[in-house]
Amino acid sequence: MPRREKAKHISNCLELAMLLEVTASKPGNVTLTSSFEGTRIEHFLASAVVAESWFEEAARRGIVAHNNKLRVSDVGIGRIIKGCATDINAWQKGGNTLLGTVILFVPLAVAAGMTPTGDNCVFNFSWLRENLRLAVESTTAEDAVSLYEAIDVAKPSGLGGAPDLDVNDPASKARLLENSISLYEVFKIAAGYDDICSEWVSNYAITFDLAYPYLTAQLERSDLNTAVVQTFLKILSEHPDTFIARKVSVEKAREVSLEAKKISKLGGLETLEGRENLRELDRHLRESGNLLNPGTTADLTAAALALCTLSGYRP
């Protein structure tokens, strides 16, 4: 497949994954019928459309790196994330919508660009995952500074004080450059309390080893919305949402996780009792505005959908 067509194909897959995730009826999240104050579904849709061109750029640079015309460390993952966050901020007024998803998707786009495919653009996931590891481990201090600047733009909630290199500390950016601390190394520091960072460090363990296999199995037996919601509950039941943990407490995140596990055991959307308990969980998560929004779980669900679309799934 020609370089331009391959990059466009990858970016279309990732944009589609974003749209499929945000339009599913996940509890405690913005959906087609539920909003937060100041943040509605149209803000997410606008964000996904704008992000597509940055995924195409990431994929293009991955292709160039695969052809040995660009060092992987010069791909500029941090710069791409920052550019994407800046454009998302300019195209909608709903605040931070998809920064976590973008942080997961940009390396995926680069790795997909680096991964050879046949004419049908089918990706070998073993190669893709190895290239994903290479892409994130090759990030630089400049990438780290760009990521901090992307956070300055997006202004995500729940970012309290970090044990080191706090994004809220103006001196952190200078330290990153002075000590040549890469974005990957920053995420190693944060991996214990943020599952987006943990995915980078673990080579996307939740995405590849839990969420994607579960989602593909669900898609074989259920409609799309059911499959996405069931996968969301599966992830949440096994991994307490770190967005909730940072905004409220680790204990509260665990409580929500236990509720998700209970609903999964009841059948989730596939049984009457499961649906009733899911509606109750959704009401509970919305009682405090968006403080109990399982946003990280939504990002991980989107990443699983990205693997589905990259492997050929079409709604």
Side-chain angles (χ1 to χ4, degrees), residues 113-242:
M114 294 168 62
T115 303
T117 63
D119 291 339
N120 57 358
C121 213
V122 172
F123 294 89
N124 180 306
F125 274 12
S126 294
W127 292 354
L128 176 67
R129 201 170 181 184
E130 186 55 40
N131 286 328
L132 188 55
R133 182 188 302 279
L134 177 60
V136 298
E137 290 184 356
S138 299
T139 53
T140 65
E142 288 75 17
D143 289 315
V145 170
S146 292
L147 189 280
Y148 277 44
E149 291 171 345
I151 290 172
D152 290 341
V153 171
K155 295 180 174 59
S157 58
L159 291 181
D164 194 18
L165 295 168
D166 188 352
V167 296
N168 299 308
D169 183 356
S172 293
K173 296 171 190 173
R175 283 185 57 207
L176 292 170
L177 296 173
E178 289 168 4
N179 298 319
S180 297
I181 301 171
S182 72
L183 180 52
Y184 179 75
E185 291 170 320
V186 170
F187 278 8
K188 285 175 69 175
I189 295 171
Y193 55 86
D194 187 301
D195 275 344
I196 302 298
C197 300
S198 179
E199 283 295 271
W200 270 47
V201 174
S202 67
N203 199 212
Y204 286 52
I206 298 173
T207 302
F208 278 91
D209 300 334
L210 170 66
Y212 171 66
Y214 191 84
L215 177 57
T216 54
Q218 289 295 313
L219 286 169
E220 291 177 358
R221 53 178 288 179
S222 307
D223 63 85
L224 175 63
N225 181 72
T226 298
V228 173
V229 173
Q230 300 288 78
T231 302
F232 177 91
L233 290 170
K234 178 68 173 178
I235 298 168
L236 185 58
S237 70
E238 298 196 16
H239 296 273
D241 193 276
T242 52

Side-chain angles (χ1 to χ4, degrees), residues 23-307:
T23 52
S25 56
K26 308 176 306 301
N29 281 262
V30 171
T31 68
L32 289 167
T33 57
S34 301
S35 303
F36 295 134
E37 184 177 357
T39 308
R40 301 179 301 278
I41 188 68
E42 58 263 34
H43 299 130
F44 283 85
L45 300 179
S47 299
V49 170
V50 171
E52 186 271 338
S53 63
W54 287 100
F55 299 150
E56 183 176 356
E57 172 67 7
R60 186 191 67 80
R61 293 179 74 82
I63 294 167
V64 174
H66 171 70
N67 292 332
N68 296 316
K69 295 181 180 179
L70 180 71
R71 292 185 303 178
V72 179
S73 59
D74 291 331
V75 164
I77 283 177
R79 181 188 63 80
I80 294 169
I81 292 171
K82 177 187 173 183
C84 188
T86 301
D87 276 0
I88 285 175
N89 189 61
W91 275 82
Q92 52 85 35
K93 300 175 182 177
N96 175 43
T97 50
L98 295 170
L99 181 61
T101 303
V102 168
I103 292 171
L104 290 174
F105 276 26
V106 168
L108 272 174
V110 172
M114 294 168 62
T115 303
T117 63
D119 291 339
N120 57 358
C121 213
V122 172
F123 294 89
N124 180 306
F125 274 12
S126 294
W127 292 354
L128 176 67
R129 201 170 181 184
E130 186 55 40
N131 286 328
L132 188 55
R133 182 188 302 279
L134 177 60
V136 298
E137 290 184 356
S138 299
T139 53
T140 65
E142 288 75 17
D143 289 315
V145 170
S146 292
L147 189 280
Y148 277 44
E149 291 171 345
I151 290 172
D152 290 341
V153 171
K155 295 180 174 59
S157 58
L159 291 181
D164 194 18
L165 295 168
D166 188 352
V167 296
N168 299 308
D169 183 356
S172 293
K173 296 171 190 173
R175 283 185 57 207
L176 292 170
L177 296 173
E178 289 168 4
N179 298 319
S180 297
I181 301 171
S182 72
L183 180 52
Y184 179 75
E185 291 170 320
V186 170
F187 278 8
K188 285 175 69 175
I189 295 171
Y193 55 86
D194 187 301
D195 275 344
I196 302 298
C197 300
S198 179
E199 283 295 271
W200 270 47
V201 174
S202 67
N203 199 212
Y204 286 52
I206 298 173
T207 302
F208 278 91
D209 300 334
L210 170 66
Y212 171 66
Y214 191 84
L215 177 57
T216 54
Q218 289 295 313
L219 286 169
E220 291 177 358
R221 53 178 288 179
S222 307
D223 63 85
L224 175 63
N225 181 72
T226 298
V228 173
V229 173
Q230 300 288 78
T231 302
F232 177 91
L233 290 170
K234 178 68 173 178
I235 298 168
L236 185 58
S237 70
E238 298 196 16
H239 296 273
D241 193 276
T242 52
F243 194 39
I244 295 176
R246 291 198 312 273
K247 289 190 296 181
V248 184
S249 69
V250 173
E251 291 75 18
K252 191 63 183 179
R254 288 173 178 162
E255 287 177 17
V256 172
S257 187
L258 287 173
E259 284 300 311
K261 183 174 292 187
K262 171 186 171 183
I263 294 167
S264 290
K265 288 181 177 179
L266 291 172
L269 281 179
E270 295 182 329
T271 67
L272 176 59
E273 191 174 5
R275 290 192 295 273
E276 289 175 347
N277 279 264
L278 185 59
R279 284 193 293 270
E280 183 58 36
L281 175 63
D282 186 49
R283 284 193 294 270
H284 172 62
L285 296 178
R286 297 182 189 281
E287 286 174 352
S288 303
N290 65 349
L291 282 178
L292 297 181
N293 161 228
T296 298
T297 307
D299 296 327
L300 295 168
T301 303
L305 280 161
L307 296 188

